[in-house]
Amino acid sequence: MSVFKKVRNTFNLLKSVDMDQLAKINKKIDLAEAMETLGKLDDRQLKGLMKMLKTKRRKGQSDLPPIDGDFYNLDLKLTEEQRELQLKVRNFMEDEVRPIVNDHWNRAKFPFEIIEKFKKLNIAGVPYEGYGCPNLPFLMEGIIAQEIARVDVSISTFFGVHSGLAMGSIYLCGSDEQKQEWLPKMQKLEKIGAFGLTEPNVGSGVAGGLETTCRFDGENWVLNGQKKWIGNATFSDVTVIWARDEKTNKVKGFLVRKENPGFKAEKMRDKMALRIVQNALITLTDCKVPEHDRLQKANSFKDTANVLRMTRAGVAWQAVGCARGAYESALKYTRKREQFGRPIASYQLIQNHLVEMLSNLTAMQTLVFRLSELQDQGELTDEHASLAKVYCSMRMRDVVSRAREVMGGNGILLEYDVARFVADAEAIYSYEGTKEINSLIVGRAITGYSAFVS
């Protein structure tokens, strides 16, 4: 191009430029750097950029509402301190867990590096009194379970097993000496716990059908049997093992240390859900446990049931967190994804799905809030906890299914998170009591008749 042509083109360009507008833009960005970047774009990229810049902002698009699954503002029921803790946990999950969770889930690996960071939250043993525990309302235990599950159900399960089932067993059934030995260290996550109740042949029928046995040989308790699906057990420092006394047929609890002879934990593989959770098949072969490691206040299955009642409420909250995470991910996606020249969130059928999801989620949230209020008032019953587990796990399934549906094919990709929620929801649906068993517990309470197989 000749010098004359360059001068003429530059002159024409300057005539078309609003210099005042250019000066305003220059205050916000480095124009020289912007020009250099634009010069490196190919024709396709430039056309795409111009199309985006020319797109008119649709009515209401400038003030889109925030993405928030708490439609009834239940967070306003929290105190300022409680709300601060909730947001502290949320920020931790967003900053430390969300960026790494899909990779670890895909590889079925546990992110051990987060445990050190987890310690700073100081949330293990939330409702327990003493031993360094926060001694907060059960409501906050639920809120925390929801916030963790909102990002990842596997990490929520790891925490629930450790803080709820393992620490809870020691807190409710342990002697003062056992509590002093374990709870302070477990509260600080210096020692990790697991909970061994389910067996290869015994799931729903644990109340009367435990096959793992224990017998006292005059010096130690000798345990034999297997436990299956035991979360954290591949790396836990202590595993609470429930076994049937050969002599009395009563269920007893034991604190089995990882170094105990006869204790073997093998990682379970090829799971389609909770892939980050390190579930183990535990084999106890003449495993010797000293009397001082027998849970001194665990003398029947009723004591085991007390632990399960306390933690079942947390599983209902976990279902709420899973549903909330799926709903918020789907809503975010539908507001960005465009088809036929519009965000798919602007179409009637998509909005109907979103409202159905939000309806289910809001009903679940109000139910578990009341459940935790009953727990804090000391009025929680088995049927209260079971109804929450039944309802929330069913509604959660519907929410994650609709979330996957509105995302189309992208709903099965890990990068959009919903696929993980869909898979993990299946585990929540089954553990800590299946729908059928929990339904029978509620049915017995409202009819006065037990439909359990005798």
Side-chain angles (χ1 to χ4, degrees), residues 30-160:
D30 187 330
L31 278 177
E33 183 180 354
M35 291 299 296
E36 183 182 353
T37 302
L38 287 171
K40 296 177 180 177
L41 299 179
D42 58 31
D43 290 345
R44 181 183 60 81
Q45 291 171 322
L46 281 170
K47 287 179 181 178
L49 177 61
M50 289 307 297
K51 181 181 179 181
M52 181 184 71
L53 292 175
K54 288 179 180 179
T55 301
K56 293 182 179 180
R57 189 174 292 279
R58 297 178 179 85
K59 184 180 179 181
Q61 193 171 350
S62 60
D63 56 352
L64 289 175
I67 295 175
D68 185 1
D70 183 13
F71 195 65
Y72 275 11
N73 296 321
L74 291 171
D75 289 344
L76 296 179
K77 294 173 67 70
L78 303 179
T79 66
E80 185 177 342
E81 292 77 12
Q82 290 170 346
R83 178 65 171 158
E84 183 180 347
L85 178 58
Q86 178 191 25
L87 294 177
K88 184 179 178 181
V89 175
R90 180 177 298 180
N91 291 336
F92 171 83
M93 293 302 296
E94 291 289 346
D95 297 341
E96 302 294 343
V97 178
R98 189 180 292 279
I100 65 171
V101 69
N102 283 334
D103 176 60
H104 283 78
W105 193 95
N106 197 37
R107 294 186 295 116
K109 299 292 185 182
F110 186 87
F112 290 100
E113 64 272 21
I114 71 168
I115 292 181
E116 280 300 316
K117 301 172 183 178
F118 227 121
K119 293 178 180 179
K120 298 176 182 178
L121 293 176
N122 190 35
I123 55 174
V126 169
Y128 311 142
E129 183 177 359
Y131 313 101
C133 297
N135 191 27
L136 298 175
F138 280 101
L139 175 63
M140 283 312 299
E141 183 179 49
I143 292 290
I144 289 169
Q146 174 193 230
E147 289 299 332
I148 299 176
R150 174 181 166 272
V151 172
D152 183 60
V153 180
S154 289
I155 300 300
S156 179
T157 300
F158 152 74
F159 184 73

